[in-house]
Amino acid sequence: MAAPRELRVGVYSNEPKVFVNAEGKPSGIFVDLLQLVATREQWTLRYVPCDWQDCLDALAAGQIDLMPDVARTSERERLFDFHASPVLHSWSQVYRARGSSIQSMFDLAGKRVAVLKGSVQRATFQSMMDSFGIAVLLIDASTLTEAFEFVQNGDADAVIANHLFGNFHAAQYGLADSGIVFQPATLYFATGLGRNADVLDAIDRSVQDWRSGADTQYTQVLRRWGGQEQGARIPPWAWWGVAGLALFGLLAALSAVVLQRKVQERTRHLQVSEQKLAAILDSVGAFIYIKGRDYRYQYANHHILELFGRPASEVVGQDDTAFFDQATAVQIQENDRRVLEHGERLEVEEVNTHLADGVTRAYLSVKIPLRLPDGSIHALCGISTDITERRRAEESLRIAASVFESFEGMVVTGPDQRILKANQSYARLTGYTVEELVGQTPALLQSGRHDAQFYEGLHSALRSTGAWQGEVWNRRKNGEVYPAWITVTAVRSAQGEVTHYVGTLTDISHRKAAEEEIRLLAFYDPLTGLPNRRLMNDRLQHSLATSARSGAGGALLFVDLDNFKDLNDTQGHEFGDQLLRQVAARLGGCVRSGDTVARLGGDEFVLLIEGLSPQAHEAAAQAETVGRAVLLALAQGYPLGGHTYHSSCSIGVALYADAQGSVDELLKRGDMAMYQAKGAGRNTMRFFDPRTQAAVTARTALESGMREALRDGQFLLHYQAQISQARGMVGAEALVRWQHPQRGLVSPAEFIPVAEASGLIVPLGAWILRTACLQLVEWAQDPATAHWTLAVNVSARQFRHPHFVDEVLGVLEETGANPQRLKLELTETLLLDDVEDTIERMTTLRALGLGFSLDDFGTGYSSLSYLKRLPLDQLKIDQSFVRDLLTDANDASIARTIVTLAQSLDLGVIAEGVETCEQRDMLASLGCHMWQGYLFGRPGPASALREAPAGAVV
């Protein structure tokens, strides 16, 4: 059951389908049916009376929700949505005043016809009249009632309405059905485009119940509104008039039949003669035609008509340009001119290209002149025969002779397989002369590499199918063995007996060599000759399957050269390639013959060690032995360009037992173990650690969760108060929190590094900046908080984003926040790369009033030469110095130095992580009079900032 809702429904006057009755209430077929649906769906209907066009405009504008009695057209489907099944079927009729002479559409010529403005009937009727060339004057009416009144008052001669409205009201206005019916239509409820899809679905469900008979209320509604108009009684004199007209029509028809028979009798004799002549000409198996002196066809037999693919009416009167291309037409006309102008009897071959399909065919044409009694030529008669196939057969014989002596070796044998004829190519390929081959059998060429079973299969295929082809190793006269591609085809007589065998012979030595080269390129690394990734994957899959069946262990060693890029960058790729070839050779010496060494690409190699112990710890020990050998072998010096180069490698080891039969999983684990070895200082080996996999999986899940959090709005800002000794609360620092739907609050220490590494820090930082600016706007409304500033942390990656400055300006403009109340906290990592760009961006933003604070000062690297150029407002003492301020003299000295430096650079200074009054007082004694920390309140919602602990400020 759908939720209760209110629908605004447009109502216009179109009885009995929809109208407002005398009591001012909506009524009609559509109203009653809609009420049935509303009761079923718990809708509340509010009807809005309007004229037809106004209703449609209101529906499109969303001022009403539903419009009944709408015909569905392609134009309206661009403006409105409809349900699938129609509610009613309707058609349009023309109604006339009683006594009017309008009986058919031709009687409407020059008449005035009233029609509903903007309706489908208007456009359809106008189009229908235009197609018949009938001029009518359409008079637009705002309602059907107004249109019927036009006819009743004499302002129109006829009116167009749907049959339901017309039959319901015709008698009331003194109108009658003219018998003119057009435009069957289906009627629907309509809604605005993209709105109320659930309403349309509900209507469809009810319509289906009505149509299936499951709900009989539909039939009851139609019966209630479907009363037929009582037809007027026809007076007796009218019946006599109809009988007289019928008698007159019968006499006229009989007269027409007599006249028609006389004409048919006179033409029958001519038709018989023509049919006899046509039968004779059509029975001839040739193309027969007659052309006049204007070169146009006067007659064409049925062969010509079939050739052109046109009836006689489209051939007679045309010249050859209508059927052939220009070159053909010029050639034919030149031949026809010799007959028509000079009276020659012409027999010539003509090659014609047809326009219809572009096919070229050859014809033998005989053309003779046709003369009048005075001897003058008035036409020509042509008889053409298609000789295309004959010419092709002749051409085929010539081609066959040429082909037999082609580059490919060909031989013809008798049924006993003795050679009858061989071409020069066959002789050249076999090393024998043609004379030496004739009388021999192809067994002369056997190399001995195929057994008797092979040749028995060849002969069996010839007997059963009449053909065989395949690769055969043959022997030339000089004893050289070579691969050849042989085809043998049996030639049979009309009775099905084998008369000959035709064979071809092709030397495929070069192709075989090319295939081997392609195989090497596809499966082997061209630089080192080792198997490539594709072949390694195949072998690894096979090795894992074998290990699973036999229970034997195995290991994958993922080898990556250390600092290989330095060699390429300093000495060039040529030296790098030399090193890779030497590494490949050394790796091959570290494994057994049955193991695999492959190069994945770059400086990455993989070793597949098979046949290890089924016990995991023993297999690991065996794999470690191989790994140690690889480390030792690759650590030896490499002679490169007259110098000795030293290198090392990092090895990751994954046992087959770890991968559970998955190639991708084993490679991934080996790769991860290799990176563990890199992280351990290089030139070492590490086995796969499941904890590393778990960390990577967790990081991937966290990154995916952050993307969902950004999309679903799971992040929120907490605020930590910033306190001035002299002024009390002066602002806060915005700190992002992640309210995970399952895990609760996730620590920033967990998700911020992932955001930095994945690049999500950029959209997250944009969200933080915008949310902080909205908070500033809110504080500005209250005099007690209007002077507060808000510090927002900006990561180095976010700050260096090409559009960062534009994004900050856009957020300030969008939110209306005061830039002088916004402070961006930057870290010292910004000073490690492209300082000039950093200074330029900070200067641009500071010109707009934004402030800058250098966060975590003293924990990283800060060049004083750069520091004095940065447009900073404040240095922030890191909490690591504040924590042990009272017990560690070094921390106290660092804090004092930072304060002194800030004062010398005319910068403010603030300390974070202040948790005790003693820390606060110590900082104040050092000259730091602004603080932030748990002493003044933990980070929390903005509403909690007014609740700083009493007495925390002195």
Side-chain angles (χ1 to χ4, degrees):
M1 186 68 69
R5 62 182 298 176
E6 180 183 82
L7 294 178
R8 300 164 297 176
V9 184
V11 179
Y12 74 103
S13 180
N14 191 3
E15 299 178 82
K17 294 185 290 182
V18 58
F19 63 98
V20 177
N21 63 20
E23 289 79 23
K25 296 182 179 180
S27 189
I29 298 174
F30 273 90
V31 173
D32 288 356
L33 294 178
L34 181 59
Q35 188 58 52
L36 295 177
V37 182
T39 302
R40 176 178 180 174
E41 302 293 333
Q42 295 186 351
W43 296 338
T44 299
L45 304 178
R46 179 162 62 86
Y47 291 95
V48 180
C50 47
D51 290 339
W52 165 253
Q53 189 59 48
D54 294 339
C55 281
L56 290 180
D57 295 341
L59 184 64
Q63 297 168 354
I64 60 176
D65 302 309
L66 201 60
M67 179 72 176
D69 187 25
V70 182
R72 189 169 185 171
T73 65
S74 57
E75 180 179 357
R76 286 180 181 166
E77 285 178 345
R78 293 193 292 269
L79 301 174
F80 310 112
D81 283 338
F82 297 84
H83 50 90
S85 301
V87 177
L88 285 178
H89 292 272
S90 179
W91 57 86
S92 300
Q93 293 186 189
V94 177
Y95 296 87
R96 57 178 173 79
R98 295 188 185 277
S100 172
S101 61
I102 297 174
Q103 302 292 336
S104 71
M105 68 177 67
F106 297 101
D107 297 330
L108 293 173
K111 296 294 192 294
R112 301 164 299 169
V113 180
V115 65
L116 182 63
K117 180 180 180 181
S119 63
V120 177
Q121 293 101 322
R122 189 188 194 286
T124 304
F125 181 76
Q126 182 68 68
S127 175
M128 184 173 68
M129 292 296 100
D130 291 343
S131 66
F132 283 101
I134 302 173
V136 295
L137 176 61
L138 296 182
I139 301 176
D140 288 326
S142 59
T143 66
L144 287 174
T145 301
E146 182 183 21
F148 272 62
E149 288 174 351
F150 284 162
V151 182
Q152 184 183 41
N153 298 333
D155 297 325
D157 301 303
V159 61
I160 297 173
N162 66 79
H163 78 287
L164 292 170
F165 183 92
N167 293 342
F168 195 79
H169 286 285
Q172 175 186 349
Y173 291 95
L175 305 184
D177 179 8
S178 69
I180 302 173
V181 178
F182 66 97
Q183 194 201 11
T186 50
L187 302 178
Y188 301 80
F189 289 94
T191 69
L193 197 63
R195 307 188 191 105
N196 302 311
D198 59 324
V199 173
L200 296 178
D201 290 341
I203 293 173
D204 257 327
R205 290 194 296 272
S206 293
V207 172
Q208 290 169 8
D209 288 345
W210 298 338
R211 297 294 189 192
S212 66
D215 188 346
T216 60
Q217 297 178 89
Y218 176 76
T219 305
Q220 296 170 6
V221 170
L222 295 185
R223 287 176 180 172
R224 181 160 59 250
W225 293 100
Q228 298 292 329
E229 176 189 3
Q230 294 292 330
R233 187 175 64 85
I234 301 176
W237 59 266
W239 288 109
W240 286 109
V242 172
L245 289 173
L247 180 59
F248 176 78
L250 179 60
L251 293 174
L254 289 173
S255 299
V257 170
V258 172
L259 290 175
Q260 184 179 16
R261 287 182 177 177
K262 289 182 178 180
V263 172
Q264 291 175 346
E265 185 66 26
R266 291 185 178 181
T267 58
R268 185 175 296 115
H269 296 291
L270 291 176
Q271 290 176 346
V272 170
S273 298
E274 291 178 356
Q275 289 172 358
K276 289 180 179 179
L277 179 59
I280 294 172
L281 297 179
D282 289 342
S283 66
V284 178
F287 304 100
I288 302 176
Y289 47 89
I290 296 175
K291 297 180 184 178
R293 292 188 64 84
D294 57 358
Y295 303 99
R296 297 182 181 275
Y297 287 91
Q298 296 179 352
Y299 167 78
N301 71 347
H302 83 283
H303 293 296
I304 288 282
L305 301 180
E306 289 178 353
L307 178 67
F308 292 163
R310 301 191 189 183
S313 59
E314 295 183 14
V315 174
V316 174
Q318 299 288 340
D319 61 17
D320 288 301
T321 58
F323 312 110
F324 302 103
D325 69 352
Q326 184 178 3
T328 299
V330 170
Q331 168 204 301
I332 293 175
Q333 189 174 29
E334 181 60 32
N335 292 335
D336 292 348
R337 181 179 291 110
R338 294 169 60 183
V339 178
L340 293 170
E341 300 296 335
H342 305 292
E344 294 184 31
R345 182 187 182 280
L346 194 65
E347 183 174 340
V348 65
E349 286 191 12
E350 295 177 325
V351 179
N352 303 341
T353 301
H354 296 261
L355 278 180
D357 52 15
V359 174
T360 299
R361 301 189 70 83
Y363 300 90
L364 177 62
S365 298
V366 177
K367 302 182 180 182
I368 58 174
L370 300 179
R371 301 178 183 272
L372 294 173
D374 61 3
S376 60
I377 300 173
H378 68 90
L380 70 79
C381 177
I383 302 175
S384 297
T385 304
D386 191 338
I387 59 171
T388 306
E389 297 307 322
R390 189 188 75 187
R391 293 187 63 177
R392 287 177 179 171
E394 294 172 351
E395 184 68 19
S396 296
L397 290 175
R398 290 194 297 270
I399 292 173
S402 300
V403 168
F404 190 77
E405 291 300 334
S406 66
F407 182 79
E408 189 174 43
M410 298 189 69
V411 64
V412 178
T413 75
D416 58 355
Q417 299 184 11
R418 293 195 175 275
I419 298 174
L420 302 175
K421 186 175 183 180
N423 66 359
Q424 292 296 328
S425 295
Y426 192 87
R428 176 178 52 79
L429 291 172
T430 62
Y432 295 92
T433 64
V434 173
E435 291 74 14
E436 289 174 326
L437 290 170
V438 172
Q440 300 288 337
T441 68
L444 175 68
L445 309 176
Q446 291 181 5
S447 64
R449 290 195 178 186
H450 304 287
D451 56 17
Q453 186 177 0
F454 172 82
Y455 291 107
E456 177 56 35
L458 186 157
H459 295 144
S460 175
L462 277 177
R463 288 192 297 270
S464 60
T465 66
W468 181 89
Q469 62 177 347
E471 185 179 308
V472 178
W473 286 90
N474 275 354
R475 186 186 302 276
R476 293 190 175 95
K477 183 179 180 179
N478 62 6
E480 178 186 355
V481 176
Y482 65 98
W485 185 260
I486 304 292
T487 67
V488 183
T489 304
V491 180
R492 299 181 183 274
S493 66
Q495 292 74 32
E497 296 179 355
V498 174
T499 60
H500 299 84
Y501 290 104
V502 177
T504 63
L505 170 68
T506 305
D507 188 341
I508 58 173
S509 301
H510 294 295
R511 193 189 78 184
K512 295 284 286 184
E515 289 175 353
E516 179 63 19
E517 183 176 356
I518 291 172
R519 189 185 72 84
L520 290 174
L521 291 174
F523 294 103
Y524 291 87
D525 173 43
L527 177 65
T528 63
L530 295 177
N532 60 13
R533 180 185 295 271
R534 181 177 179 182
L535 181 56
M536 186 276 299
N537 280 340
D538 183 68
R539 289 188 179 179
L540 180 54
Q541 183 67 65
H542 182 267
S543 179
L544 286 172
T546 301
S547 176
R549 288 193 302 269
S550 66
L556 178 145
L557 277 64
F558 205 109
V559 180
D560 186 272
L561 301 184
D562 296 330
N563 303 314
F564 177 72
K565 184 175 182 298
D566 294 343
L567 176 64
N568 267 342
D569 292 345
T570 58
Q571 302 298 323
H573 289 279
E574 182 179 351
F575 282 91
D577 290 347
Q578 291 181 29
L579 176 66
L580 291 174
R581 283 191 287 266
Q582 294 184 43
V583 166
R586 295 184 185 186
L587 289 175
C590 295
V591 297
R592 299 162 299 178
S593 59
D595 298 328
T596 296
V597 179
R599 181 188 177 209
L600 298 188
D603 58 340
E604 293 181 340
F605 296 85
V606 165
L607 280 65
L608 303 184
I609 312 301
E610 302 182 66
L612 301 183
S613 171
Q615 303 300 321
H617 66 282
E618 294 180 2
Q622 293 168 336
E624 183 179 9
T625 301
V626 176
R628 297 298 177 194
V630 170
L631 288 173
L632 180 62
L634 299 191
Q636 305 302 314
Y638 297 87
L640 298 176
H643 300 279
T644 300
Y645 176 78
H646 291 277
S647 181
S648 63
C649 68
S650 299
I651 303 175
V653 183
L655 299 178
Y656 282 12
D658 296 333
Q660 299 178 346
S662 170
V663 170
D664 291 338
E665 184 66 22
L666 190 63
L667 286 170
K668 182 170 65 174
R669 293 186 175 195
D671 189 44
M672 292 173 63
M674 182 272 293
Y675 276 106
Q676 284 183 319
K678 291 280 188 185
R682 295 185 168 87
N683 194 26
T684 187
M685 173 175 52
R686 287 290 184 271
F687 280 77
F688 170 74
D689 185 352
R691 291 172 299 178
T692 304
Q693 175 68 56
V696 172
T697 302
R699 181 189 178 283
T700 303
L702 190 65
E703 180 180 337
S704 176
M706 288 187 66
R707 296 184 188 277
E708 295 180 3
L710 279 170
R711 183 191 65 208
D712 299 339
Q714 297 175 10
F715 289 104
L716 52 86
L717 287 187
H718 279 182
Y719 302 87
Q720 187 172 36
Q722 293 185 337
I723 306 298
S724 169
Q725 184 177 21
R727 292 176 290 150
M729 177 84 72
V730 293
E733 179 182 3
L735 301 170
V736 65
R737 297 291 185 266
W738 180 5
Q739 185 65 50
H740 195 281
Q742 284 81 38
R743 300 175 57 189
L745 279 177
V746 181
S747 169
E750 182 178 353
F751 68 81
I752 289 297
V754 175
E756 287 275 8
S758 65
L760 290 173
I761 194 67
V762 175
L764 177 60
W767 176 86
I768 293 172
L769 183 63
R770 186 178 185 279
T771 306
C773 286
L774 290 173
Q775 184 61 56
L776 280 175
V777 172
E778 182 179 338
W779 286 345
Q781 310 303 316
D782 187 348
T785 59
H787 66 284
W788 286 1
T789 60
L790 187 55
V792 177
N793 289 284
V794 177
S795 75
R797 186 165 186 171
Q798 180 186 3
F799 187 85
R800 293 194 183 101
H801 192 273
H803 304 297
F804 175 73
V805 174
D806 293 335
E807 288 178 354
V808 173
L809 298 180
V811 168
L812 290 171
E813 181 178 357
E814 176 190 353
T815 61
N818 184 353
Q820 296 181 347
R821 296 284 175 254
L822 180 63
K823 180 168 58 179
L824 302 183
E825 289 196 359
L826 309 178
T827 61
E828 293 186 21
T829 53
L830 277 172
L831 304 179
L832 299 178
D833 186 25
D834 203 352
V835 178
E836 298 302 328
D837 180 66
T838 300
I839 294 174
E840 180 181 352
R841 292 182 178 216
M842 293 175 64
T843 303
T844 301
L845 293 174
R846 199 161 193 281
L848 298 174
L850 277 78
F852 289 94
S853 176
L854 191 58
D855 195 9
D856 302 335
F857 185 73
T859 61
Y861 166 79
S862 297
S863 170
L864 296 182
S865 63
Y866 289 140
L867 187 63
K868 70 179 182 179
R869 296 176 56 199
L870 294 174
L872 292 169
D873 296 278
Q874 187 182 69
L875 298 180
K876 195 168 192 178
I877 301 176
D878 187 69
Q879 61 182 347
S880 62
F881 303 131
V882 176
R883 183 182 306 111
D884 299 324
L885 187 67
L886 302 175
T887 58
D888 191 328
N890 290 331
D891 285 347
S893 297
I894 292 173
R896 182 183 298 107
T897 301
I898 294 173
V899 172
T900 303
L901 179 63
Q903 292 172 348
S904 66
L905 295 176
D906 196 22
L907 300 176
V909 64
I910 184 173
E912 65 178 358
V914 180
E915 299 182 356
T916 67
C917 293
E918 291 78 5
Q919 291 173 339
R920 177 200 63 194
D921 295 341
M922 181 66 174
L923 287 166
S925 69
L926 296 177
C928 176
H929 304 290
M930 285 189 66
W931 315 292
Q932 174 183 341
Y934 287 173
L935 177 63
F936 312 102
R938 292 179 177 272
S943 59
L945 286 177
R946 299 177 185 271
E947 304 171 3
V953 181
V954 296

